[in-house]
Amino acid sequence: VSDASGCSMVALLHTGAAKFPQNLLPRARQAVRSLLPPGVLKGCSSIVSRKLASHGFGASMAAMSSFPPQRYHYFLVLDFEATCDKPQIHPQEIIEFPILKLNGRTMEIESTFHMYVQPVVHPQLTPFCTELTGIIQGMVDGQPSLQQVLERVDEWMAKEGLLDPSVKSIFVTCGDWDLKVM
């Protein structure tokens, strides 16, 4: 990710624009920042200003034309939430499955996928889990299983053109927990 577009992604996520769930914005911001080399954000205040302006905070979309081309057509920001407790329970189960589709050329949010997942092994959320994630029992009760949600993710990705071999996309997470551990 180039410096300019990285600053743009950070600015976009600072606006809280589009339909991205507000409780996920801090993690999405951190995930995008993790793509950038240390110190990159110090020199991008004008880029951040332009991006904020492009979301109705002052200027026009013409400022977007200065961003360099990206290797990926789309950045897919992913941030699972899972069952948890102190001490840690095993297995942890995904209870929230959100994806934000960010256009790699315009840095605009084009689409989101969001579903809650009914846990099976630990169906009752712990008070610690609710406090940590903000997810209450009523949000997961009666929701689809992980298998059903994965099928819907596949349908959403197909509908969004993300499964086309000519479309280059990459999942972006905050650290390795979402895709390595979970």
Side-chain angles (χ1 to χ4, degrees):
V1 176
S2 69
D3 296 1
S5 63
C7 292
S8 177
M9 286 188 283
V10 171
L12 173 65
L13 293 169
H14 275 293
T15 68
K19 301 173 191 169
F20 200 54
Q22 290 298 311
N23 65 319
L24 299 180
L25 279 170
R27 289 192 181 108
R29 290 177 187 133
Q30 187 176 355
V32 170
R33 283 187 187 117
S34 71
L35 292 172
L36 304 173
V40 152
L41 293 178
K42 290 180 181 174
C44 68
S45 61
S46 65
I47 295 166
V48 170
S49 297
R50 283 194 309 240
K51 188 62 194 171
L52 290 170
S54 75
H55 284 281
F57 293 90
S60 72
M61 290 299 288
M64 296 300 292
S65 64
S66 65
F67 291 115
Q70 297 297 303
R71 178 184 310 165
Y72 297 100
H73 297 112
Y74 298 102
F75 297 98
L76 305 173
V77 182
L78 174 70
D79 182 32
F80 294 134
E81 296 297 340
T83 54
C84 54
D85 203 1
K86 286 235 182 221
Q88 191 57 266
I89 57 176
H90 295 284
Q92 285 186 282
E93 299 173 85
I94 294 171
I95 56 174
E96 185 177 29
F97 201 125
I99 305 171
L100 174 126
K101 179 184 171 191
L102 186 70
N103 185 301
R105 184 180 55 80
T106 65
M107 297 302 142
E108 298 293 327
I109 297 170
E110 289 192 359
S111 181
T112 60
F113 175 89
H114 183 268
M115 291 194 76
Y116 290 104
V117 182
Q118 173 73 56
V120 176
V121 178
H122 302 286
Q124 190 67 37
L125 300 182
T126 65
F128 175 81
C129 184
T130 295
E131 183 178 330
L132 181 68
T133 66
I135 298 171
I136 61 172
Q137 191 66 44
M139 295 166 122
V140 297
D141 284 345
Q143 295 301 310
S145 68
L146 180 59
Q147 179 63 38
Q148 292 167 318
V149 171
L150 288 170
E151 290 169 6
R152 291 182 186 170
V153 168
D154 187 61
E155 292 167 4
W156 175 79
M157 289 182 74
K159 181 181 114 243
E160 294 295 321
L162 296 167
L163 301 180
D164 181 328
S166 66
V167 174
K168 296 178 185 174
S169 61
I170 187 169
F171 279 96
V172 179
T173 65
C174 182
D176 64 3
W177 185 85
D178 295 273
L179 294 177
K180 183 178 180 185
V181 175
M182 218 34 224

